[in-house]
Amino acid sequence: MSKTLQRVRGTQDLLPEISRKFRYIENLAWEESRHYGYGEIDTPLFEMSEVFHRTLGETSDMVHKETYTFQDRGGDFITLRPEGTAGIARAFISEGLAQNLPLKFFYSGPMFRYERPQKGRYRQFHQIGIESLGYDNPLSDVEVISLASDFLKKLALMNSCKLQINTIGDTDSRAHYRQQLVNYFTKYKHELSADSQIRLEKNPLRILDSKDAGDRKLIVDCPKMEASLNEESKRFFDRVQQGLNQNNIAFELSSTLVRGIDYYTHTVFEFVTEKLGAQGTVLAGGRYDGLIQTMGGPQTPGVGWAAGLERLAELTNESLMPRTKLKAALIPADEAGELWALTVAQDLRSRGYTTEIIWNGNVGKKMKKAASLGAEYALIVGTTEAQNKNITVKNLQTGEQITASLGLELQ
Ligand code: ATP
Ligand code: MG
C-alpha cells in the first residue's frame, strides 16, 4: 500500500468496538461531572501558538518537543492543542467569564502531541477532563479529586488504581525549593541527562518528572519539597489531606510527584496503575492558581484533572458495558416486500425497537444473517404481506411463527 494511504504514525482509526467503549467511558465521566454541577465546554482543536507556549512553559517537554505547530496561510502560528486547560483558560479570558465565577467545566476530545508512539502513547489521543475555576479553598481540590474517584469507581478501576498526591506549594515555597534543587543537582550536573541539564537552568522542578534512569537515581536523595513549604502552603496541604480523609479517599504521599507543566501550584495528584506498564498514569491533575493571570487575565484560582481515554479503555472491562440488542431483523422476500419493509422498520424504530433491514441475498441467506447479528425476531415480508399489510414474525429463540399487523409489540 502506498504510504499516503496509511494512517499517520501515532494516530488511530477508532472502529465501532473501541468507539463504543470510548463513548461509554465518556458518558460515565460526563454524568458524574453533571452530578457535581459541571457544564460542558468545547474549545477549538487549535489555538494561536502563544496560548500554549506562554502558559505551559517553553521548557516543558510538551511545548519544547511535542507540539504540532505550523504557520497557516495568513502567516499566524497555530498549535494543535496538546491538552485542554490552556484553551479553557483562554476561553475564560476572551469570553469575559470572570463575572460568572465560580465556573465548573467538563470537556472531552482529541489532543495532539508529537511523541514517540508506543503502547498507550499516541500522537492524536483523547482526553476527558474537568476544570473548577474560582475557588481557592483546599477542600475544593478534594471535591475535584472525589469526582475523579467516583468516576473511576463507576468504571470499577478503583481496585487497580492508587491515588498519589503531593504539594508544590505557593510561589514563595516553590522559589525556595527551586534553589534547594539547584544547589543539589549542580553538584551532579555532569551525571544528569542532557534534558535535565537544560531543566536545571530553566526549570529545575521538572527534573523530578524525568523518566531517565540515571536522573531517577539522583532524584531519590534530592531535597524534599516538604522542607521548603511555608506555613500557608503547609496549612493548605494539611487541609487537602483532612478533606480526603473526610471523604474516605485513600491516598499516598509522593514527594517527587510534580506535573509536567509549569502552571501548577499547591496540590498535584495522579491516579496510577501497575496494569499498564510504563504508561501507568491514568488520570492526573492539580491546582493552577497562576495560570489565568500568566495569560493576561484576572487572578483566578483553578483546579482540575485530565484522563486519557485510551488508557481508561485499556483498563475497562467489556462486561460492564450494556449491549444494544437487535430486536428485529427485517427480511424482505421480494421487491414488494422491500418497500413494505421500509414502512414496518420505521414503525418499529419509532416505537424504540432496534431494527435492521437485511437487503442482501435470498431469504435463506438473510435469515442466517439475522441470526448472526443476534436478532431476537425475524420479520419476513413479501408480496402477500405487503398486500395484506401484515408481517410474518418468527421468534428466533423459540422458532414460533405468527402473523401480526403494524404496531405489533415485541417482547
Ligand atoms: P506522561 O508522563 O505519561 O507523558 P503526561 O504528564 O504527559 O503523562 P498529562 O499531560 O498529565 O500526561 O495527561 C494526562 C493523561 O493523558 C495521562 O495520564 C494519560 O492518560 C493521557 N496521555 C498523555 N499523553 C498521552 C499520549 N501521548 N497518548 C495517550 N494518552 C496520553
Ligand atoms: Mg507526556
Side-chain angles (χ1 to χ4, degrees):
M1 204 192 316
S2 80
K3 191 168 178 220
T4 49
L5 281 182
Q6 285 169 18
R7 276 187 286 104
V8 173
R9 216 161 110 75
T11 62
Q12 326 167 63
D13 295 312
L14 298 170
L15 301 178
E17 273 305 297
I18 185 72
S19 290
R20 189 169 79 93
K21 212 170 191 186
F22 274 33
R23 182 63 67 95
Y24 171 74
I25 297 169
E26 194 182 22
N27 283 347
L28 268 189
W30 167 225
E31 256 168 48
E32 208 51 49
S33 303
R34 251 194 345 226
H35 273 123
Y36 277 74
Y38 283 70
E40 187 166 7
I41 188 167
D42 201 4
T43 62
L45 298 192
F46 52 85
E47 298 272 355
M48 302 299 272
S49 294
E50 295 83 59
V51 168
F52 304 110
H53 284 247
R54 280 245 301 270
T55 56
L56 307 182
E58 291 291 349
T59 58
S60 70
D61 279 356
M62 203 194 289
V63 166
H64 182 58
K65 293 194 279 198
E66 297 174 4
T67 49
Y68 277 91
T69 295
F70 57 94
Q71 230 174 338
D72 71 9
R73 291 172 195 275
D76 285 327
F77 280 95
I78 302 292
T79 295
L80 301 185
R81 64 181 189 190
E83 56 101 54
T85 310
I88 291 172
R90 194 275 309 142
F92 173 82
I93 299 168
S94 53
E95 304 295 332
L97 301 181
Q99 314 309 320
N100 309 344
L101 286 171
L103 284 165
K104 298 196 279 186
F105 296 124
F106 166 86
Y107 65 88
S108 171
M111 306 293 164
F112 306 85
R113 298 185 195 175
Y114 193 81
E115 302 201 63
R116 191 168 68 77
Q118 53 197 289
K119 194 166 182 305
R121 202 176 280 287
Y122 301 90
R123 289 183 173 172
Q124 176 176 336
F125 63 103
H126 300 79
Q127 280 186 343
I128 48 176
I130 59 158
E131 313 292 353
S132 163
L133 302 177
Y135 286 125
D136 54 16
N137 192 321
L139 295 185
S140 76
D141 302 22
V142 172
E143 260 202 295
V144 158
I145 295 172
S146 297
L147 169 45
S149 145
D150 286 350
F151 160 59
L152 293 175
K153 235 180 254 163
K154 290 241 161 95
L155 279 181
L157 296 184
M158 277 310 275
N159 292 333
S160 51
C161 287
K162 284 189 304 198
L163 169 64
Q164 299 186 333
I165 62 168
N166 191 23
T167 178
I168 48 178
D170 61 9
T171 323
D172 289 345
S173 303
R174 235 178 123 162
H176 185 270
Y177 187 45
R178 182 192 158 100
Q179 195 52 52
Q180 303 303 305
L181 289 180
V182 171
N183 295 347
Y184 172 83
F185 285 113
T186 303
K187 286 187 284 185
Y188 303 101
K189 184 164 178 186
H190 299 290
E191 293 167 49
L192 284 171
S193 66
D195 277 346
S196 285
Q197 292 188 16
I198 296 169
R199 293 177 182 127
L200 182 57
E201 310 254 300
K202 297 198 168 153
N203 191 343
L205 238 79
R206 172 101 4 80
I207 297 175
L208 303 183
D209 205 24
S210 170
K211 293 183 177 80
D212 178 89
D215 290 350
R216 297 237 55 96
K217 274 191 201 133
L218 293 173
I219 291 164
V220 174
D221 291 322
C222 78
K224 299 295 178 281
M225 181 74 217
E226 207 182 346
S228 292
L229 293 178
N230 58 20
E231 282 313 306
E232 163 56 19
S233 299
K234 269 189 206 150
R235 195 194 61 81
F236 195 101
F237 196 44
D238 282 347
R239 195 74 176 149
V240 170
Q241 296 177 57
Q242 274 176 21
L244 290 172
N245 289 329
Q246 179 81 15
N247 272 1
N248 297 314
I249 297 176
F251 60 90
E252 286 175 4
L253 297 176
S254 166
S255 63
T256 57
L257 177 63
V258 292
R259 305 286 321 124
I261 308 171
D262 275 354
Y263 52 60
Y264 286 105
T265 53
H266 290 294
T267 323
V268 288
F269 59 90
E270 285 188 354
F271 285 84
V272 295
T273 179
E274 279 160 13
K275 290 197 167 169
L276 292 179
Q279 266 47 269
T281 305
V282 174
L283 182 152
R287 175 164 283 278
Y288 48 86
D289 292 347
L291 170 66
I292 290 176
Q293 202 170 23
T294 312
M295 294 179 78
Q299 205 286 317
T300 310
V303 53
W305 52 254
L309 270 179
E310 284 77 5
R311 293 184 201 175
L312 287 168
E314 176 85 22
L315 292 168
T316 299
N317 195 324
E318 305 276 339
S319 63
L320 278 179
M321 305 191 308
R323 274 217 167 260
T324 319
K325 280 210 188 126
L326 181 58
K327 201 66 178 178
L330 259 291
I331 315 279
D334 50 33
E335 283 193 3
E338 284 183 343
L339 273 181
W340 180 227
L342 284 177
T343 303
V344 176
Q346 288 308 91
D347 167 62
L348 288 166
R349 289 170 184 147
S350 74
R351 291 183 292 117
Y353 297 116
T354 306
T355 305
E356 273 191 55
I357 305 177
I358 319 248
W359 296 107
N360 282 355
N362 57 26
V363 170
K365 268 221 165 114
K366 285 173 176 162
M367 288 300 282
K368 273 201 190 117
K369 183 70 184 168
S372 76
L373 289 172
E376 290 177 41
Y377 295 89
L379 275 57
I380 303 140
V381 286
T383 303
T384 320
E385 283 85 358
Q387 273 164 2
N388 299 333
K389 302 233 171 299
N390 63 16
I391 309 148
T392 300
V393 180
K394 181 169 185 182
N395 181 325
L396 291 179
Q397 271 120 56
T398 62
E400 185 191 358
Q401 194 159 308
I402 57 162
T403 304
S405 47
L406 221 51
L408 75 162
E409 297 288 339
L410 297 174
Q411 300 301 322

